[in-house]
Amino acid sequence: MHTRLIRSHERRRWSDGAITSWQSFPATGSFDLAANAFGVLMVHNDDLVDAGAGFDTHQHRNAEIVTWVLAGAIEHRDSQGNCGLITPGVVQRMTAGRGITHSERNASPRAEHLTAHVIQMWLPPDVDELDPGYAEADVTARLVGGDLVPVVSGRAVHHGSGAIAIANRFVALHIARLQPGRPVTLTPAPFGHLFVAQGSATVIGTEFDAPLDLSVGDAVRFTDLDDHVAVSTSEQAEILFWEMHASFDL
């Protein structure tokens, strides 16, 4: 197993004045996202969006886009007629397929000055030129117990689990709202990407002699992740974990 720690401040920062994006992989202005991917995770953006601001209508193709909101609300509208309001606890997946246009905006009025905090992640489908699609689900109740819960998955093992389907059979996104004294064990996989979305956490069972103490915005990338790695917290924390069984390098 190989473990790489990426601290929050090591990420690329991009801002246009109304949106500030901390990017685990260089996304803004990148025309070869696969070259900088880990496993098949191409984009992992941690965005702060001012009230009334957002991304105007733009196009995507052959991408699976997953959105998770930490604070505030994001309004989604697309060329397939889908309109969604994404709030904390609601996970969204958009299949761009052969082509879709959409917009994403902070749903709060400018006068209220409420910043939206959103994590957005992009992966490829395992088959190109699919029909565009959209799905969302409120997973709040599933996260109450503090377990690591699959919320978006293309893995056959998660069929019927309540996870939203994604058009990539090699990946699953797990989320946990960690509780003190209740560690969770990460799912073994050739590639794993762990992100601390809120709070702080500790990772044990890696090849390092000491536990890894993580703060909000920190990430850990695992290669050949085994079944001995666990994550715990002394307070409360929220973690996102991508289990991946494929890579652009394979």
Side-chain angles (χ1 to χ4, degrees):
M1 181 173 68
H2 176 72
T3 305
R4 180 185 173 195
L5 172 63
I6 300 96
R7 294 296 185 188
S8 176
H9 68 270
E10 296 178 295
R11 299 174 295 173
R12 176 174 291 190
R13 180 183 181 276
W14 173 89
S15 178
D16 68 354
I19 303 170
T20 299
S21 180
W22 290 94
Q23 302 174 351
S24 294
F25 310 97
T28 306
S30 174
F31 297 96
D32 190 1
L33 296 175
N36 295 302
F38 177 73
V40 287
L41 184 58
M42 301 185 296
V43 170
H44 192 289
N45 288 354
D46 182 0
D47 297 337
L48 296 174
V49 184
D50 288 352
F55 296 97
D56 294 330
T57 301
H58 56 286
Q59 185 173 37
H60 294 283
R61 185 167 183 164
N62 293 326
E64 298 291 297
I65 299 176
V66 177
T67 301
W68 180 250
V69 170
L70 300 175
I74 293 291
E75 182 185 60
H76 165 100
R77 293 181 181 271
D78 66 42
S79 54
Q80 298 294 304
N82 299 301
C83 180
L85 188 66
I86 313 305
T87 55
V90 175
V91 63
Q92 177 210 64
R93 184 229 71 223
M94 185 180 75
T95 295
R98 61 178 176 269
I100 195 170
T101 59
H102 78 137
S103 63
E104 300 163 291
R105 305 199 69 81
N106 183 335
S108 301
R110 291 184 185 276
E112 294 183 7
H113 304 292
L114 297 177
T115 300
H117 188 180
V118 57
I119 308 295
Q120 190 168 91
M121 300 152 282
W122 300 8
L123 304 96
D126 52 28
V127 176
D128 284 344
E129 303 302 298
L130 296 169
D131 291 338
Y134 176 91
E136 64 179 64
D138 190 336
V139 298
T140 304
R142 298 179 62 206
L143 299 177
V144 169
D147 297 325
L148 192 67
V149 176
V151 298
V152 176
S153 180
R155 304 275 293 155
V157 70
H158 296 135
H159 290 176
S161 69
I164 289 178
I166 189 171
N168 188 316
R169 66 188 184 276
F170 301 107
V171 306
L173 171 64
H174 306 258
I175 297 178
R177 289 179 174 166
L178 298 175
Q179 304 297 320
R182 293 201 60 189
V184 298
T185 300
L186 299 182
T187 306
F191 305 94
H193 186 274
L194 172 69
F195 179 77
V196 180
Q198 299 189 86
S200 60
T202 299
V203 178
I204 59 173
T206 70
E207 70 271 29
F208 298 110
D209 293 333
L212 297 178
D213 291 325
L214 308 179
S215 300
V216 63
D218 290 346
V220 183
R221 298 176 193 171
F222 301 96
T223 305
D224 296 326
L225 174 64
D226 61 32
D227 59 359
H228 297 100
V229 177
V231 186
S232 62
T233 186
S234 60
E235 42 179 24
Q236 290 186 328
E238 185 171 290
I239 60 171
L240 281 61
F241 174 68
W242 278 101
E243 167 196 355
M244 295 177 282
H245 296 262
S247 168
F248 286 105
D249 296 328
L250 296 179

